[in-house]
Every structure is written in structure tokens, then in C-alpha cells.
Amino acid sequence: MTDDAGTPRAVIERACPAVHVRTVERIGEGWDHVAFLVNDELVFRLPSADAETNADAVAAEVRLLRAVAGRLPVATPEPVHVASDGTFFGYRYLPGESIEQLLDDGRWRPETDGSLTELVVDVIVAIEDLIRPEVASAMGIRRADGRRYAQEEQWALDSGHITPAMRAVHDDVVRKLPVQWAAAMRRPV
């Protein structure tokens, strides 16, 4: 982004005119987005420069988040501003530390008792209980089709950016996921 028109502030203000941006802080990134904390109260996940934007997928995510709001065993983002072109949205900031931060600081290790895995399963089952398969399909949620990012996962593992603690989490997931994935794929959602 070399000009002001492409800055996160300009993109957000142009796409969400009700948002008056005072401060913008980059707080993270994912496969296809960069997350910004705006005015210390909203998070906007803007598409990465090289990511394909999919307004249908964003709309489905917004519908799902609104449908499960306050009904899961964890806090969920509350979409409050959706870009005029539908390619991103902003939600109220959920304070706390990410697993990534805890890993980087060396304060978190995979639980040997499986409590994190159990929480993830509890959330997935709660979503399935709330949103029946036919409703999920009508919302635009696509059926899971196995590992979608195998090449990206391998690239990340080989990149040298993965800390030993992050690698330990990955290895733990790789050991436990196949059995749970197989069981999950027998379920309707």
C-alpha cells in the first residue's frame, strides 16, 4: 500500500461510512487476511493483498456468527459493521491473549489431558446443535472436505518461523486429529 487510499483506515472508512477511524493497530494475520484493532474497540479482518475475496463466504460467516451469538461455551465475534462490498466485516474486540501470544511467550503448552481439544469439540457440537445441516447449507456454510491447506501448512512448518512450542502444538494436533476428524465426518455438518 503506497498511497493513502489503500491504507486500512481509508479502506475501512470508505467501506463502512458509519465507522470514524481514530486509531488503527495491526494485531495479527491469517491465511487470507490481516486483522486491525480500530479505535481500541473493533476488529476488522481485511483481505490480504494477494487473497481472493469472497463476499459470499464473508456473508455466510456473518450469518453464522449472528446465529450463534451468546449461545456457545466461548465468546464469539459480534459482526457490527459489514463492508459495503461484503468482502470483510468488523466485530467488537474480544479482549484477551491469543494462543499465538501465549506460545510466543512460552506460557502455554498443549494440555496432556486434552482439555483444549475437548473445548474445541464442545464448541463444534454446540454449533451443530444450534444450526441444523439444512439451515447451515441455506446460510451458505459449505461442507468440510478434509484438509484444505496441506501445502500452506507444510510451507509454514518448513519456513523457520515456527517456534518449538508452536511445532509441539502442531505435532500434538496431527497425532489427535485424524481419529476425531473421521468421527466428525460421520456427523451431518
Side-chain angles (χ1 to χ4, degrees):
M1 294 184 223
T2 56
D3 62 6
D4 287 346
T7 66
R9 173 189 301 266
V11 169
I12 293 165
E13 286 181 336
R14 189 171 45 254
C16 303
V19 178
H20 302 289
V21 179
R22 294 181 306 282
T23 62
V24 177
E25 175 188 352
R26 182 186 173 123
I27 58 172
E29 62 186 275
W31 293 112
D32 60 355
H33 69 274
V34 179
F36 295 93
L37 179 60
V38 174
N39 302 338
D40 295 319
E41 63 185 359
L42 297 169
V43 174
F44 284 88
R45 286 184 1 214
L46 300 181
S48 299
D50 57 349
E52 291 183 31
T53 57
N54 184 338
D56 291 337
V58 171
E61 183 177 358
V62 168
R63 285 191 291 273
L64 178 65
L65 288 170
R66 288 180 174 157
V68 301
R71 301 170 71 191
L72 296 179
V74 294
T76 57
E78 175 191 350
V80 291
H81 299 283
V82 178
S84 55
D85 65 0
T87 58
F88 67 91
F89 64 94
Y91 54 89
R92 296 186 198 295
Y93 175 63
L94 298 171
E97 295 177 292
S98 69
I99 289 179
E100 181 181 22
Q101 290 169 316
L102 295 172
L103 281 169
D104 288 347
D105 296 347
R107 295 180 285 137
W108 187 81
R109 300 279 186 266
E111 293 94 351
T112 55
D113 65 357
S115 57
L116 177 61
T117 303
E118 289 175 15
L119 174 62
V120 171
V121 170
D122 288 347
V123 170
I124 292 168
V125 170
I127 292 171
E128 185 178 70
D129 287 344
L130 291 169
I131 311 295
R132 304 305 322 153
E134 62 278 3
V135 174
S137 180
M139 293 172 79
I141 306 298
R142 64 174 187 72
R143 182 171 170 76
D145 56 4
R147 289 175 61 190
R148 291 176 39 209
Y149 300 109
Q151 284 182 310
E152 290 84 350
E153 178 183 313
Q154 193 58 53
W155 174 86
L157 290 170
D158 296 340
S159 70
H161 297 295
I162 303 296
T163 66
M166 292 168 74
R167 184 62 180 239
V169 170
H170 171 271
D171 294 346
D172 190 50
V173 169
V174 166
R175 275 192 306 277
K176 294 176 182 172
L177 186 61
V179 171
Q180 292 179 348
W181 184 264
M185 291 308 290
R186 289 189 294 271
R187 298 178 65 98
V189 174

